Amino acid sequence: MQALPIAHPENAKAAPGASLPLAYSTAALCWLLSAGVYIAAKWVAPEMGPWALCFWRLALAFAILLPIVFHHYGAMIALIRSRAVEVVLIGAIGMTLCQGMIYTGLHDTNATTAGIIMALSPVMTMVIARIVLSEPLGLWKAIGAVFALAGMMIIVAHGDLAALKRLQFSAGELWIAASALCWGLYTVLLRRAKFDIELLPMVVLLLGAGSLVALPFYAWELYSGDRSTLHANGLIALAYMAGPGGALMYYLYNRSVAVLGAGPASMLLYLQTVFVALLAYLLLGEGLQSYDVYGAAFIVAGVILATLIKQKPSSANS
């Protein structure tokens, strides 16, 4: 939204007769571009405040995509007139807060760790859906959530059990964890809202709402004296985040969901974590810390337990 693309409608079905190799390549490219956002945000952190980065990325991506969805202007205007508060609220949580928290956290932690923690998002979504939508969690999903939470705690405490007892955590990792929580809440609220509009114009509306909500945070950042001093590298990073890592990424995600369906497209999300680690190693010189490896192992185990192991349906009493 973060850096992550928009949550998709769960009932999206695969398009018949579509080219699956092309569709999977499109989805993989989407997550590669999304991973690049973490790298660009970390790279530009010394030059640009997190809320300035959040505002300009959302506003520019909105401006790029708006002309593309001109056929849907009528439906978009009707939705704003009837449910503007919901659109702004969901855009604020999923676009503004989620992304602003990621960029804030990247000032104090590395991109690799941020990518690993954001892999928690699907598990958090399941837990929040249980609370907000009363969706059944099930034994394996509950166990998976505990494993994933344990992995996150290992990472935010840098593997120091004594730090857990003293409740001393790294601020950067806590910001990223809060972003993952916002993403889960955003996904559930978007699912509950059931907006009657296609995916790409919905993305554009949420980008617009998110940029409006980000504007006061950006203004506060300027008032506090944290002014951006962009040089060539910063401008390149922002251009990437708004263009290839923003508008193009959202467009490709929309295409992959339309062709593959919601399920396969969402499972490819975990490619993002791999791409982040690889790009961070190649471009930023980051390496995996031992606590990253241990925490990632718990998170992966939790995701597998929560998403891949199916609950046996209870037999009806005759």
Side-chain angles (χ1 to χ4, degrees), residues 153-191:
M153 296 298 287
I154 290 171
I155 292 173
V156 298
H158 289 188
D160 184 1
L161 294 180
L164 288 176
K165 294 178 182 178
R166 297 191 303 268
L167 297 179
Q168 293 180 345
F169 305 122
S170 166
E173 282 84 357
L174 287 177
W175 278 112
I176 305 298
S179 174
L181 180 64
C182 278
W183 176 258
L185 179 60
Y186 156 74
T187 305
V188 171
L189 291 178
L190 189 61
R191 186 188 306 168

Side-chain angles (χ1 to χ4, degrees), residues 36-57:
V37 172
Y38 290 81
I39 310 305
K42 181 64 177 177
W43 190 33
V44 79
E47 297 184 28
M48 197 168 194
W51 295 107
L53 190 57
C54 178
F55 168 75
W56 284 113
R57 184 195 181 212

Side-chain angles (χ1 to χ4, degrees), residues 123-162:
V123 175
M124 286 189 172
T125 300
M126 294 175 189
V127 175
I128 296 172
R130 175 69 183 91
I131 298 170
V132 176
L133 303 179
S134 299
E135 292 184 358
L137 189 60
L139 176 62
W140 288 113
K141 289 183 179 180
I143 295 174
V146 171
F147 267 77
L149 179 62
M152 183 195 70
M153 296 298 287
I154 290 171
I155 292 173
V156 298
H158 289 188
D160 184 1
L161 294 180

